Amino acid sequence: MSVLAGKELRIVGFLCNWCSYGGADTAGVARATQPTDLRIVRVPCSGRIDPLFILRALLHGADGVLVSGCHPGDCHYAEGNYYARRRLEILKQFLPVLGIDPRRFEYTWISASEGQRWQLAVTKFTQQIHELGAAPAFENAEKLIQIADMALTALRPLGTGQHAALADLKKAIVEKLPELDCVIGWQQSYDAAHSAPLFMRKPEDVEKLVWGPLNVNNLATYLPQYKGKKVGIVVKGCDSRSVTQLLQEGLINRDDVVVFSMPCEGTLDMARINQALGAYQHIDKVAYDEAGVSITADGKEHRFCMVEYAQGKCYSCATPGAVLADVRLGTPTPVTGTPATPPELALLDSMSLSERFAFWHTQMERCIRCYACRNACPMCVCRDYCVAESRDPHWLTQEDTATEKFFFQTIHALHLAGRCTGCGECQRACPVGIPILALRQQIARAVAQTFEGYRPGMNAKATPPLMGFTVEENNIKEKDWNK
Ligand code: FES
């Protein structure tokens, strides 16, 4: 029976073997009264706790999760809890965008001798969960369909890159090509209204290179598979952040990559363009001007202005020029102001927790589990060992439920914490148009707020925040159980 009034709830506790489990034991030996809602999982160290343990518990019926380890500085393995502290803090800031009340998860530090502190922490946390009540089940969430408002002001004029030095770029590629196995760029795809990656190996291939707002693919995705070969890549500003991030993580070698850059004026949201074009037999003409593109399909002209049809990420893009480049052509338009909240994330910010839960449930019911989001992601590099397909450990079942699909998306987003450069390839590749970039954007916001404005992919020499720690964390506050 719970010592708290009312129904016993389901609380999962992950306790480090060396301190907090001992603290709970000390409280028990001292016969300190404790609520009985908690089910303890003993782990070797708080550093062993993957945030997916907590998310799985919360999405599969736990009403609350409590993590407790040794005090910072006292970890049996010296540093495990310092790393854990950063991961757990980011997870706590991530939960609200999922529609999960962040008060359902707490982490704390309790030593083996602190039986009283354990009693206080577990009692206060259980009270907190009882006040919140039983957690809503994801599968029972209501239907909620809402679409982000894309009417935003960009940080710089968006355009179609009509004055880009394409001829100079082609010349530079032809000059470098003899030293390289391949140069990756863009070419016209199955029709003039779409582009596709181009792998240039011979000078005649370079003629197929195109530049403009239809060049939506982030070509950095292909770089890891060329590791060990000499390869060139044409980048937009956002793509160059992915190249920098791959260098930072040692996934490619700087000496093997030649980066060609041109200033980006924005890319088009192909999902909305395809929707506007509808079913067509033939593209008759694609005409560009400074402000947009006119596409004539089956004799009917469609006008797409950049300020209305750019990808959401372009409105808040502060890197129109490449972060790093070996051959740099043209000058990017200066950025004015600070980036606004991206439209998809702004939509979620405007919702209540229960609305976000309903929103994601409605979206995840549409997911067909094709993993295009993962495959298009330049930072998703452990594909053969992906948690989505692993049978050992078997974290995800193949069930076609919204919960399992949402769990995959949350894991994917967490694996990108401090790594996602916001290129939006996950969302662009999604065949059913689920706005999953918002999950990565919330993680990026939490990382920036917690780690002094850190932005992934800006400096190849920087240590990603979740791969390091500081003994004193300026923006991470320890939970005060006396409040
Ligand atoms: Fe307790 Fe690492 S051993 S947190």
Side-chain angles (χ1 to χ4, degrees):
M1 280 279 293
S2 171
V3 295
L4 295 175
K7 183 175 173 283
E8 189 172 278
L9 294 177
R10 290 156 298 186
I11 302 177
V12 180
F14 292 100
L15 272 54
C16 134
N17 176 53
W18 301 99
C19 285
S20 298
Y21 194 84
D25 207 26
T26 304
V29 170
R31 297 191 174 271
T33 316
Q34 296 174 52
T36 52
D37 308 51
L38 190 77
R39 300 289 177 271
I40 294 175
V41 180
R42 182 158 51 158
V43 291
C45 171
S46 61
R48 172 66 185 88
I49 299 167
D50 189 314
L52 74 84
F53 298 177
I54 297 150
L55 273 169
R56 185 168 170 86
L58 289 171
L59 286 175
H60 284 82
D63 301 305
V65 176
L66 179 65
V67 166
S68 187
C70 308
H71 285 278
D74 289 348
C75 175
H76 194 73
Y77 306 97
E79 298 172 345
N81 52 5
Y82 287 132
Y83 287 102
R85 183 169 58 180
R86 288 193 164 192
R87 287 201 298 263
L88 298 172
E89 179 60 29
I90 294 301
L91 173 66
K92 193 159 172 64
Q93 294 183 44
F94 181 50
L95 292 178
V97 85
L98 308 179
I100 298 174
D101 195 314
R103 292 170 296 176
R104 293 194 181 277
F105 164 60
E106 297 288 359
Y107 61 91
T108 190
W109 317 115
I110 294 171
S111 76
S113 61
E114 292 179 314
Q116 265 188 330
R117 183 174 157 85
W118 167 258
Q119 182 198 25
L120 179 67
V122 74
T123 307
K124 283 281 181 86
F125 183 66
T126 309
Q127 271 170 355
Q128 187 169 303
I129 298 302
H130 274 254
E131 277 160 26
L132 292 170
F138 190 63
E139 291 296 333
N140 297 340
E142 301 283 316
K143 277 239 173 318
L144 179 69
I145 297 171
Q146 284 199 28
I147 295 171
D149 178 5
M150 307 302 276
L152 286 180
T153 309
L155 288 176
R156 62 202 157 84
L158 295 173
T160 55
Q162 289 308 286
H163 298 298
L166 181 59
D168 292 346
L169 176 63
K170 286 182 179 175
K171 194 163 156 242
I173 293 173
V174 170
E175 277 169 17
K176 283 272 179 196
L177 205 49
E179 305 160 26
L180 302 168
D181 291 300
C182 171
V183 178
I184 315 171
W186 298 269
Q187 64 182 328
Q188 180 184 311
S189 181
Y190 51 87
D191 63 34
H194 297 85
S195 76
L198 166 68
F199 298 86
M200 296 168 267
R201 295 186 175 86
K202 302 185 290 283
E204 48 270 37
D205 295 338
V206 181
E207 273 316 302
K208 297 182 201 157
L209 185 68
V210 295
W211 181 260
L214 296 172
N215 290 1
V216 290
N217 307 64
N218 180 354
L219 305 174
T221 308
Y222 297 99
L223 284 181
Q225 67 199 53
Y226 280 91
K227 193 172 181 186
K229 294 193 171 158
K230 300 272 182 203
V231 61
I233 181 169
V234 186
V235 295
K236 307 185 290 287
C238 52
D239 308 340
S240 74
R241 288 182 61 194
S242 303
V243 177
T244 309
Q245 188 64 29
L246 290 168
L247 288 168
Q248 196 176 354
E249 297 184 18
L251 294 163
I252 53 174
N253 299 322
R254 184 68 186 96
D255 294 342
D256 293 342
V257 180
V258 177
V259 181
F260 300 86
S261 87
M262 292 223 285
C264 176
E265 295 183 1
T267 51
L268 288 162
D269 183 341
M270 295 312 294
R272 283 189 291 146
I273 298 231
N274 289 335
Q275 195 177 26
L277 290 176
Y280 62 84
Q281 294 290 320
H282 189 258
I283 294 289
D284 308 318
K285 192 169 129 196
V286 177
Y288 295 92
D289 55 49
E290 287 296 313
V293 53
S294 300
I295 301 176
T296 310
D298 296 341
K300 185 172 174 211
E301 186 178 315
H302 303 260
R303 173 74 183 155
F304 301 107
C305 282
M306 289 304 291
V307 288
E308 283 174 48
Y309 279 92
Q311 291 197 70
K313 64 171 184 172
C314 299
Y315 294 97
S316 53
C317 171
T319 48
V323 175
L324 92 168
D326 300 293
V327 180
R328 202 181 283 271
L329 297 154
T331 314
T333 327
V335 167
T336 49
T338 45
T341 306
E344 296 89 347
L345 188 55
L347 171 67
L348 284 151
D349 283 349
S350 70
M351 294 180 189
S352 66
L353 285 173
S354 59
E355 285 173 337
R356 288 176 205 161
F357 217 47
F359 173 82
W360 285 122
H361 182 256
T362 311
Q363 295 291 341
M364 289 302 141
E365 280 199 314
R366 299 165 53 230
C367 170
I368 55 170
R369 262 187 118 154
C370 64
Y371 299 124
C373 49
R374 175 197 64 183
N375 297 346
C377 174
M379 301 318 304
C380 215
V381 289
C382 49
R383 284 170 203 164
D384 289 348
Y385 311 98
C386 178
V387 72
E389 280 148 10
S390 162
R391 291 289 171 276
D392 184 21
H394 193 186
W395 281 107
L396 274 157
T397 70
Q398 297 308 304
E399 281 170 23
D400 185 36
T401 60
T403 305
E404 287 299 283
K405 293 182 277 194
F406 194 38
F407 185 40
F408 169 71
Q409 287 301 337
T410 58
I411 297 172
H412 191 193
L414 281 164
H415 282 184
L416 293 166
R419 304 174 64 233
C420 173
T421 56
C423 71
E425 285 293 88
C426 49
Q427 185 163 304
R428 188 189 62 76
C430 178
V432 291
I434 301 175
I436 43 179
L437 180 58
L439 297 175
R440 285 88 175 139
Q441 287 167 337
Q442 170 59 18
I443 294 259
R445 181 163 65 178
V447 166
Q449 280 168 359
T450 311
F451 305 111
E452 278 86 33
Y454 181 86
R455 289 178 72 211
M458 299 303 285
N459 177 0
K461 300 252 168 7
T463 305
L466 295 195
M467 291 173 75
F469 65 85
T470 53
V471 173
E472 300 294 333
E473 297 281 8
N474 292 337
N475 299 320
I476 302 180
K477 298 278 165 275
E478 196 172 331
K479 172 81 180 168
D480 182 356
W481 294 107
N482 291 308
K483 280 193 183 158

Short mmCIF file of all heavy atoms in Angstrom, two decimals, residues 12-18 20-22 25 39-45 48-49 53 68:
data_model
loop_
_atom_site.label_atom_id
_atom_site.label_comp_id
_atom_site.label_asym_id
_atom_site.label_seq_id
_atom_site.Cartn_x
_atom_site.Cartn_y
_atom_site.Cartn_z
N VAL A 12 9.29 4.76 -11.71
CA VAL A 12 10.50 3.96 -11.93
C VAL A 12 11.69 4.75 -11.42
O VAL A 12 11.81 5.95 -11.71
CB VAL A 12 10.67 3.63 -13.44
CG1 VAL A 12 11.93 2.80 -13.66
CG2 VAL A 12 9.45 2.90 -13.98
N GLY A 13 12.54 4.10 -10.64
CA GLY A 13 13.75 4.76 -10.15
C GLY A 13 14.99 4.07 -10.72
O GLY A 13 15.10 2.85 -10.67
N PHE A 14 15.87 4.84 -11.34
CA PHE A 14 17.17 4.31 -11.79
C PHE A 14 18.20 4.80 -10.79
O PHE A 14 18.48 6.00 -10.70
CB PHE A 14 17.50 4.81 -13.20
CG PHE A 14 16.59 4.25 -14.26
CD1 PHE A 14 15.54 5.01 -14.76
CD2 PHE A 14 16.77 2.96 -14.75
CE1 PHE A 14 14.70 4.50 -15.73
CE2 PHE A 14 15.93 2.45 -15.73
CZ PHE A 14 14.89 3.21 -16.22
N LEU A 15 18.76 3.86 -10.02
CA LEU A 15 19.67 4.24 -8.93
C LEU A 15 21.05 3.66 -9.16
O LEU A 15 21.18 2.45 -9.44
CB LEU A 15 19.12 3.71 -7.59
CG LEU A 15 18.15 4.62 -6.84
CD1 LEU A 15 16.98 5.06 -7.67
CD2 LEU A 15 17.68 3.93 -5.57
N CYS A 16 22.04 4.50 -8.98
CA CYS A 16 23.42 4.03 -9.09
C CYS A 16 23.73 3.07 -7.94
O CYS A 16 23.34 3.31 -6.79
CB CYS A 16 24.34 5.25 -9.10
SG CYS A 16 25.74 5.13 -8.05
N ASN A 17 24.39 2.01 -8.29
CA ASN A 17 24.69 0.94 -7.32
C ASN A 17 25.49 1.44 -6.13
O ASN A 17 25.28 1.01 -5.00
CB ASN A 17 25.47 -0.14 -8.07
CG ASN A 17 25.92 -1.26 -7.16
OD1 ASN A 17 25.11 -1.82 -6.44
ND2 ASN A 17 27.21 -1.54 -7.19
N TRP A 18 26.41 2.38 -6.38
CA TRP A 18 27.42 2.69 -5.36
C TRP A 18 26.97 3.72 -4.34
O TRP A 18 27.47 3.70 -3.22
CB TRP A 18 28.71 3.16 -6.03
CG TRP A 18 29.23 2.11 -6.94
CD1 TRP A 18 29.09 2.06 -8.30
CD2 TRP A 18 29.92 0.92 -6.57
NE1 TRP A 18 29.66 0.93 -8.80
CE2 TRP A 18 30.18 0.21 -7.76
CE3 TRP A 18 30.34 0.38 -5.36
CZ2 TRP A 18 30.84 -1.01 -7.76
CZ3 TRP A 18 31.01 -0.83 -5.36
CH2 TRP A 18 31.24 -1.51 -6.55
N SER A 20 23.36 5.94 -4.49
CA SER A 20 21.93 6.13 -4.22
C SER A 20 21.24 4.83 -3.82
O SER A 20 20.36 4.83 -2.96
CB SER A 20 21.25 6.73 -5.44
OG SER A 20 21.81 7.99 -5.71
N TYR A 21 21.65 3.72 -4.42
CA TYR A 21 21.05 2.45 -4.00
C TYR A 21 21.40 2.19 -2.54
O TYR A 21 20.56 1.75 -1.75
CB TYR A 21 21.56 1.31 -4.89
CG TYR A 21 20.74 0.05 -4.74
CD1 TYR A 21 19.56 -0.11 -5.46
CD2 TYR A 21 21.14 -0.97 -3.88
CE1 TYR A 21 18.79 -1.25 -5.32
CE2 TYR A 21 20.38 -2.12 -3.74
CZ TYR A 21 19.21 -2.25 -4.47
OH TYR A 21 18.45 -3.39 -4.32
N GLY A 22 22.64 2.52 -2.19
CA GLY A 22 23.07 2.42 -0.78
C GLY A 22 22.27 3.37 0.10
O GLY A 22 21.89 3.03 1.23
N ASP A 25 18.99 1.95 0.74
CA ASP A 25 19.17 0.85 1.68
C ASP A 25 19.31 1.39 3.11
O ASP A 25 18.72 0.87 4.06
CB ASP A 25 20.44 0.08 1.28
CG ASP A 25 20.37 -1.36 1.71
OD1 ASP A 25 19.25 -1.87 1.86
OD2 ASP A 25 21.46 -1.95 1.93
N ARG A 39 9.56 1.71 -8.14
CA ARG A 39 10.18 0.41 -8.50
C ARG A 39 11.61 0.73 -8.93
O ARG A 39 11.82 1.48 -9.88
CB ARG A 39 9.44 -0.24 -9.66
CG ARG A 39 7.98 -0.54 -9.34
CD ARG A 39 7.86 -1.67 -8.33
NE ARG A 39 6.47 -1.92 -7.97
CZ ARG A 39 5.82 -1.32 -6.97
NH1 ARG A 39 6.42 -0.39 -6.25
NH2 ARG A 39 4.57 -1.64 -6.70
N ILE A 40 12.58 0.13 -8.22
CA ILE A 40 13.97 0.53 -8.43
C ILE A 40 14.67 -0.38 -9.44
O ILE A 40 14.57 -1.60 -9.37
CB ILE A 40 14.73 0.52 -7.09
CG1 ILE A 40 14.17 1.62 -6.19
CG2 ILE A 40 16.23 0.71 -7.30
CD1 ILE A 40 14.75 1.65 -4.80
N VAL A 41 15.38 0.25 -10.37
CA VAL A 41 16.28 -0.47 -11.28
C VAL A 41 17.69 -0.04 -10.88
O VAL A 41 18.02 1.14 -10.92
CB VAL A 41 16.02 -0.10 -12.76
CG1 VAL A 41 16.97 -0.85 -13.68
CG2 VAL A 41 14.56 -0.37 -13.15
N ARG A 42 18.49 -1.03 -10.46
CA ARG A 42 19.86 -0.69 -10.01
C ARG A 42 20.79 -0.68 -11.22
O ARG A 42 20.81 -1.63 -12.01
CB ARG A 42 20.32 -1.73 -9.00
CG ARG A 42 21.68 -1.44 -8.46
CD ARG A 42 21.96 -2.09 -7.15
NE ARG A 42 21.70 -3.51 -7.07
CZ ARG A 42 22.25 -4.32 -6.18
NH1 ARG A 42 23.10 -3.84 -5.29
NH2 ARG A 42 21.95 -5.60 -6.15
N VAL A 43 21.52 0.40 -11.40
CA VAL A 43 22.46 0.51 -12.53
C VAL A 43 23.87 0.72 -11.96
O VAL A 43 24.03 1.22 -10.84
CB VAL A 43 22.08 1.69 -13.47
CG1 VAL A 43 20.79 1.41 -14.21
CG2 VAL A 43 21.99 3.00 -12.72
N PRO A 44 24.90 0.32 -12.72
CA PRO A 44 26.26 0.43 -12.18
C PRO A 44 26.70 1.85 -11.88
O PRO A 44 27.52 2.08 -10.99
CB PRO A 44 27.14 -0.21 -13.25
CG PRO A 44 26.30 -0.38 -14.44
CD PRO A 44 24.87 -0.36 -14.01
N CYS A 45 26.14 2.82 -12.63
CA CYS A 45 26.56 4.22 -12.48
C CYS A 45 25.50 5.06 -13.18
O CYS A 45 24.87 4.59 -14.13
CB CYS A 45 27.93 4.40 -13.16
SG CYS A 45 28.47 6.11 -13.31
N ARG A 48 25.60 5.21 -16.84
CA ARG A 48 25.08 4.09 -17.64
C ARG A 48 23.67 4.37 -18.16
O ARG A 48 23.17 3.67 -19.04
CB ARG A 48 25.09 2.81 -16.78
CG ARG A 48 24.41 1.59 -17.39
CD ARG A 48 25.16 1.11 -18.63
NE ARG A 48 24.49 0.01 -19.31
CZ ARG A 48 23.56 0.16 -20.25
NH1 ARG A 48 23.15 1.37 -20.60
NH2 ARG A 48 23.01 -0.88 -20.83
N ILE A 49 23.04 5.41 -17.60
CA ILE A 49 21.63 5.65 -17.94
C ILE A 49 21.53 6.38 -19.27
O ILE A 49 21.95 7.52 -19.40
CB ILE A 49 20.94 6.45 -16.82
CG1 ILE A 49 20.99 5.65 -15.52
CG2 ILE A 49 19.49 6.76 -17.19
CD1 ILE A 49 20.62 6.44 -14.31
N PHE A 53 16.15 5.01 -21.73
CA PHE A 53 15.54 4.22 -20.63
C PHE A 53 14.34 5.00 -20.08
O PHE A 53 13.28 4.45 -19.81
CB PHE A 53 16.50 4.02 -19.46
CG PHE A 53 17.77 3.25 -19.75
CD1 PHE A 53 18.73 3.09 -18.75
CD2 PHE A 53 18.03 2.68 -20.99
CE1 PHE A 53 19.90 2.40 -18.98
CE2 PHE A 53 19.20 1.99 -21.23
CZ PHE A 53 20.14 1.86 -20.23
N SER A 68 18.84 8.75 -9.72
CA SER A 68 19.71 9.23 -8.64
C SER A 68 21.08 8.57 -8.72
O SER A 68 21.19 7.35 -8.93
CB SER A 68 19.04 8.95 -7.29
OG SER A 68 19.80 9.56 -6.27
#
